[in-house]
Amino acid sequence: MSYGNQPGGYGPPQGGGYDSSGGYGSGGYGTPPGGHDPYGGYGYGAPPPRGNNGMAIAALVMGIAGLFACGITSIVGAVLGHISLSQIKRTGEEGRGMAIAGLVLSYFGIACWVLVLGGLLFLGIIGSSY
């Protein structure tokens, strides 16, 4: 009994099968029509994620800590926030939101502690005049 090309049957594979060179044939799994790779040249799947900027994380931590540590770490947080924003702009890393949040918290912490120290100084001047 012969299973050759019978009407209505399945014929031999038409490309896309395993070939003798050790790989799969061109079965439509290459670059799509239109000439560009939608995955950015990384093959299959999404491109690898970009990492967060370390100084942006540090700026956020320093900004939060500055609210409780008399504003000393807020000054460091503001400096780190500005440095991290310039690095993010230059390198394209993630973490812009953390850097901005660190800056806002740092400046808020500095302003709060300046007001507290100014108020204490004002009370000290008024209290010594009586």
Side-chain angles (χ1 to χ4, degrees):
M1 183 164 188
S2 170
Y3 293 105
N5 290 328
Q6 297 179 359
Y10 294 105
Q14 301 292 325
Y18 194 78
D19 62 10
S20 62
S21 65
Y24 286 96
S26 60
Y29 295 107
T31 304
H36 71 281
D37 186 7
Y39 301 109
Y42 292 103
Y44 297 106
R50 295 177 295 190
N52 286 324
N53 186 289
M55 285 196 184
I57 297 169
L60 182 61
V61 170
M62 291 293 147
I64 292 170
L67 298 174
F68 304 104
C70 298
I72 302 293
T73 61
S74 292
I75 297 169
V76 176
V79 171
L80 289 176
H82 285 289
I83 292 172
S84 67
L85 279 177
S86 67
Q87 284 181 353
I88 290 168
K89 185 190 294 184
R90 188 179 68 243
T91 63
E93 288 178 301
E94 298 288 329
R96 185 172 188 273
M98 285 189 285
I100 292 172
L103 280 171
V104 168
L105 288 172
S106 295
Y107 284 131
F108 182 74
I110 291 170
C112 285
W113 285 107
V114 165
L115 288 174
V116 167
L117 293 176
L120 290 175
L121 183 66
F122 180 73
L123 290 176
I125 291 173
I126 289 181
S128 67
S129 67
Y130 285 113

